[in-house]
Amino acid sequence: MSLVLGTYRLLTRGLEPLAPRLLAYRARKGKEDPARVDERLGQAGVGRPPGSLVWMHAISVGESLSLLPVIGLLAERRPDLSVLVTTGTITSARMMAQRLPEGVIHQYAPVDTPGAVSGFLDHWRPSVGLFVESELWPNLILEAQARGIPLMLASARITEHSAEGWKKRPAAARTLLDAFACILPQDDASAGRIADLGGRTDGRVNLKLVGAPLPFDRKEFDRLSGAIGDRPVVVLASTHEGEEAALVQRLQALDPLPFLIVVPRHPERSGTIQADMAALGLSVAVRSRDEMPGADTQVYLADTLNEMGLFLRLAEVVVLGGAFGPLIGQGPVGGHNPLEPARLARPTLTGSDMSNWSIAGAMVEAGGLEILTDLSQLAPRVAALLSDPDQARQIGRQAEQAAASADGGLEILWQAMAPRLPPAGGRR
């Protein structure tokens, strides 16, 4: 073990007695689930099922949702295996509670201290572990390796900034990367950075490019559609701090104002968004309060989870958030999944920061996505799409075709995973 990793292990062991107090503080701040804090300390909330168990780990909402096609494929080809999914945020846990198939277990990931990690692994005894994107927690990874648990890293992503940081600790980086039996980067840039750090990479897999159209509730669609009536609908999807006010303010230049549905990436920001809309003089109905839009409602604040498929289906135009940071003086986010509206053939506008989505370039080239480089472009482009339904439908069809041609490499992942799974009927 490198000096850096040895020091890290000693420090986390020494600080471990403080973990309960830190988690309690975070729970008071709404950053941990107080009813499930023990899971973060490595104490399981449910019993382990008999037989072999596949453990999948992702940190937040997008990475967690990208696991759903893998879980579906595993259920189809190896129904004898149990599946455990761990995530690190409250939002992802709530999303998984609604989206995971019956029988799949969700737990919060343990904090990266030796005791919590040991408790977690002692209880769950996974046969194989699949990590998504860039979760490199040293104690968790190295303890799993020490126990002989084959680990895979899929959709591996490492930014230039992260790579520069790891280059200052090359031995630690090499040790952690060597702990994975298989690394499947999501793009060539990440593959190159991993190779520069001494890691061996295999094929390319980007699980966020895999998936079907988002689900929705037909009765809720009919109910909301009836309440909105014949007003044109613009959905502001997956918005971040500062984006709602900036985007809506620009759209107020339209006369008449289309019906706006705001779907924040983090619903807990609902109060702030309501205040921002009130400051703009707009009438708001709030979904989490079960308020239905009325004839005078201008903004519908969709501050709930797992309903994006519903709101996208109501849209004539989608404005995809998380990409407008550079245009409004906020920090970069990297954008959000343009394939979600594309799979529903919705014309989509987004901002200049789509750095997390290499597929965005291909979608722009296909004519199914438009990237705005200045907020002054927003209102005119929305007006043009609303006034020319044929053009909007054509852009939507082009987006849908681009989404259909995107290959996330699910079968590549399966070919790498299958040999590392326990034999059918095996117990562990």
Side-chain angles (χ1 to χ4, degrees):
M1 183 180 295
S2 73
L3 178 61
V4 169
L5 292 175
T7 302
Y8 175 87
R9 186 169 180 83
L10 288 173
L11 285 174
T12 51
R13 186 179 297 281
L15 294 173
E16 191 156 26
L18 300 178
R21 292 173 59 187
L22 175 60
L23 291 169
Y25 172 78
R26 286 175 53 83
R28 290 194 296 271
K29 295 291 185 179
K31 296 181 178 180
E32 299 284 348
D33 184 344
R36 298 177 63 182
V37 164
D38 285 351
E39 293 174 25
R40 300 285 274 153
L41 297 171
Q43 301 169 29
V46 296
R48 185 194 187 281
S52 299
L53 179 140
V54 175
W55 165 36
M56 301 184 188
H57 174 68
I59 185 63
S60 195
V61 173
E63 296 82 10
S64 304
L65 291 176
S66 76
L67 285 172
L68 294 175
V70 187
I71 294 169
L73 189 65
L74 196 65
E76 174 188 332
R77 299 185 182 181
R78 289 296 305 272
D80 57 303
L81 299 173
S82 297
V83 177
L84 167 71
V85 174
T86 56
T87 65
T89 67
I90 289 179
T91 305
S92 61
R94 290 173 180 167
M95 184 72 76
M96 288 293 97
Q98 297 174 348
R99 295 289 299 273
L100 284 176
E102 184 178 356
V104 176
I105 302 165
H106 174 270
Q107 294 279 278
Y108 280 101
V111 295
D112 200 46
T113 62
V117 165
S118 292
F120 171 83
L121 294 175
D122 285 346
H123 178 82
W124 292 108
R125 305 187 311 281
S127 302
V128 65
L130 174 65
F131 285 49
V132 174
E133 294 213 5
S134 56
E135 278 290 284
L136 300 180
W137 293 107
N139 287 322
L140 187 61
I141 291 169
L142 297 179
E143 182 62 23
Q145 180 194 35
R147 295 178 183 224
I149 301 168
L151 297 179
M152 301 177 62
L153 180 59
S155 282
R157 177 175 177 268
I158 182 167
T159 65
E160 186 174 353
H161 178 75
S162 296
E164 289 302 317
W166 281 114
K167 284 179 181 178
K168 298 174 184 176
R169 302 176 289 275
R174 179 64 180 265
T175 299
L176 290 175
L177 292 172
D178 283 349
F180 289 97
C182 178
I183 299 177
L184 300 160
Q186 65 178 240
D187 53 40
D188 290 342
S190 289
R193 292 168 189 143
I194 291 169
D196 288 344
L197 292 171
R200 184 182 64 83
T201 65
D202 299 287
R204 305 290 179 266
V205 170
N206 188 344
L207 294 176
K208 287 183 177 179
L209 303 185
V210 180
L214 293 173
F216 77 114
D217 185 317
R218 168 61 69 177
K219 290 183 179 179
E220 279 300 295
F221 175 87
D222 292 340
R223 190 167 79 109
L224 270 177
S225 183
I228 295 168
D230 60 359
R231 290 175 283 182
V233 177
V234 176
V235 171
L236 279 60
S238 296
T239 52
H240 285 252
E241 182 178 358
E243 288 186 326
E244 298 90 5
L247 297 172
V248 171
Q249 187 174 32
R250 292 288 181 165
L251 292 173
Q252 282 183 288
L254 300 177
D255 186 18
L257 180 70
F259 186 80
L260 303 178
I261 301 178
V262 176
V263 192
R265 184 68 172 181
H266 301 108
E268 61 270 19
R269 295 181 46 248
S270 177
T272 300
I273 299 168
Q274 291 176 54
D276 288 343
M277 297 301 102
L280 293 173
L282 297 171
S283 172
V284 181
V286 182
R287 183 158 182 80
S288 64
R289 298 202 294 252
D290 201 29
E291 296 173 355
M292 286 296 291
D296 61 342
T297 301
Q298 296 164 298
V299 177
Y300 188 54
L301 178 53
D303 56 345
T304 53
L305 290 171
N306 203 34
E307 293 192 297
M308 186 66 82
L310 167 64
F311 305 125
L312 291 179
R313 281 175 171 85
L314 291 165
E316 267 85 39
V317 177
V318 174
V319 180
L320 186 61
F324 293 92
L327 305 184
I328 61 173
Q330 299 280 9
V333 172
H336 288 299
N337 193 344
L339 296 173
E340 291 182 349
R343 291 186 182 115
L344 295 168
R346 293 314 190 255
T348 301
L349 311 173
T350 193
S352 58
D353 177 24
M354 288 293 283
S355 55
N356 287 347
W357 294 93
S358 57
I359 189 66
M363 293 185 68
V364 170
E365 186 175 344
L369 177 69
E370 185 170 344
I371 292 180
L372 307 180
T373 56
D374 192 286
L375 280 186
S376 65
Q377 300 168 325
L378 178 63
R381 286 304 298 140
V382 169
L385 291 168
L386 293 179
S387 64
D388 190 345
D390 289 338
Q391 180 196 28
R393 281 192 290 271
Q394 177 61 26
I395 293 173
R397 284 193 292 269
Q398 290 166 176
E400 188 176 30
Q401 291 167 3
S405 65
D407 181 8
L410 185 60
E411 192 61 35
I412 293 173
L413 173 59
W414 176 255
Q415 294 301 322
M417 179 185 289
R420 296 177 170 92
L421 296 174
R427 303 179 66 87
R428 177 162 180 167

